[in-house]
Amino acid sequence: MLTIGKLAAQTNTSANTLRFYERQGLVCPTSKGENGYRLYAEDAVKRVHFIRHAQQSGFTLAEIQELLTLQDSASACCSDVRKRAIDKKLMLEAKIKLLKAMSAELDALILNCAHEDHPVDQCPILDALSRAPQSELRS
Amino acid sequence: MKVEFFYAEGCDNCAAARRELKQAVAAAFRLDADWHELEVVKHLDYAVELGVLSTPAVAIDGVLVFAKLPTVAQLDAELQRRAPPGHGR
């Protein structure tokens, strides 16, 4: 059995993170010792690694909970997990597309501001930001 | 009308729905509806361009109309609405 400190050390996390995972129902201690300390089974290490890796891949904690449930479900198959990974990929790509559009908008604003010594009330960036977008004016 | 059905390979739900919708569209619209099936991973950029966030999804004439799986009745109604007078069922 592992104490929370040992589990944190083996998974490169903190005890606070593990307590947070417990509150979210992701990793729960198997038992509590006589002193009230949390005790985890050895396979909790694998579970915490899974959670951290999934977080790095963009999955939310709620989605990770679903993945863990699938992992524990005898009737689930690989395509169920793949479907979730594809949906996550689509969402990330949509966000990337939006971020690229925002970056391009900033490029245009930066190009407009060629005179860095203008007073702030003549700043073309602030001026452009204060105007409603064309799409909103049309609607 | 161009109907594009986005699906994920290996998804049983997608495969069953795809067959059912394709048959329904073919029966109701024959040559008026041009049915295409796009595996979402192979056409990821296009799917993202249309705003597909989940599969199955259906686009009509290059516009995402059903972000989630429509019923046969929903898709049929949408195509009827868009069909030129005298076409479709």
Side-chain angles (χ1 to χ4, degrees):
Chain A
M1 299 294 270
L2 299 168
T3 61
I4 195 166
K6 281 186 181 170
L7 179 59
Q10 286 192 28
T11 53
N12 203 24
T13 53
S14 66
N16 274 340
T17 300
L18 294 176
R19 282 191 282 268
F20 175 70
Y21 288 164
E22 183 183 338
R23 286 197 296 277
Q24 300 299 313
L26 295 169
V27 182
C28 296
T30 310
S31 61
K32 286 197 174 179
E34 287 176 6
N35 49 14
Y37 287 0
R38 291 168 171 82
L39 292 173
Y40 296 86
E42 296 289 335
D43 63 3
V45 174
K46 192 177 163 191
R47 197 168 173 96
V48 174
H49 280 311
F50 180 100
I51 294 165
R52 292 180 64 77
H53 198 176
Q55 278 187 294
Q56 285 164 9
S57 301
F59 288 100
T60 63
L61 292 179
E63 290 163 343
I64 293 169
Q65 180 69 274
E66 283 183 28
L67 290 175
L68 286 166
T69 305
L70 280 178
Q71 196 176 37
D72 297 336
S73 164
S75 61
C77 67
C78 185
S79 66
D80 295 322
V81 180
R82 186 174 187 268
K83 167 85 170 65
R84 282 166 172 76
I86 290 171
D87 286 355
K88 179 53 64 177
K89 169 90 176 162
L90 284 166
M91 202 202 71
L92 288 176
E93 290 292 335
K95 274 189 184 171
I96 290 167
K97 184 183 165 194
L98 180 66
L99 289 173
K100 280 184 176 169
M102 290 163 77
S103 180
E105 181 76 12
L106 284 175
D107 280 343
L109 292 174
I110 292 165
L111 273 177
N112 276 343
C113 185
H115 302 288
E116 297 165 16
D117 53 351
H118 273 179
V120 75
D121 62 352
Q122 293 174 25
C123 174
I125 295 179
L126 295 180
D127 184 48
L129 289 174
S130 67
R131 286 196 300 267
Q134 290 300 308
S135 56
E136 285 182 21
L137 290 175
R138 279 194 296 270
S139 60
Chain B
M1 282 178 293
K2 184 178 178 184
V3 182
E4 292 169 308
F5 184 94
F6 289 90
Y7 70 98
E9 200 74 68
C11 168
D12 293 341
N13 189 28
C14 292
R18 198 163 75 224
R19 282 193 297 273
E20 191 184 9
L21 289 176
K22 184 179 180 181
Q23 285 167 7
V25 168
F29 294 92
R30 300 179 188 278
L31 298 177
D32 290 333
D34 195 9
W35 178 267
H36 297 263
E37 296 175 1
L38 293 91
E39 208 285 324
V40 74
V41 177
K42 289 179 188 155
H43 298 88
L44 194 80
D45 288 346
Y46 181 52
V48 171
E49 190 186 320
L50 294 189
V52 175
L53 288 176
S54 182
T55 57
V58 178
I60 300 172
D61 292 334
V63 176
L64 181 66
V65 179
F66 296 103
K68 290 184 177 172
L69 180 66
T71 62
V72 168
Q74 286 170 328
L75 180 59
D76 186 71
E78 185 61 35
L79 293 175
Q80 292 286 356
R81 195 177 66 77
R82 291 163 178 260
H87 291 251
R89 190 178 289 127

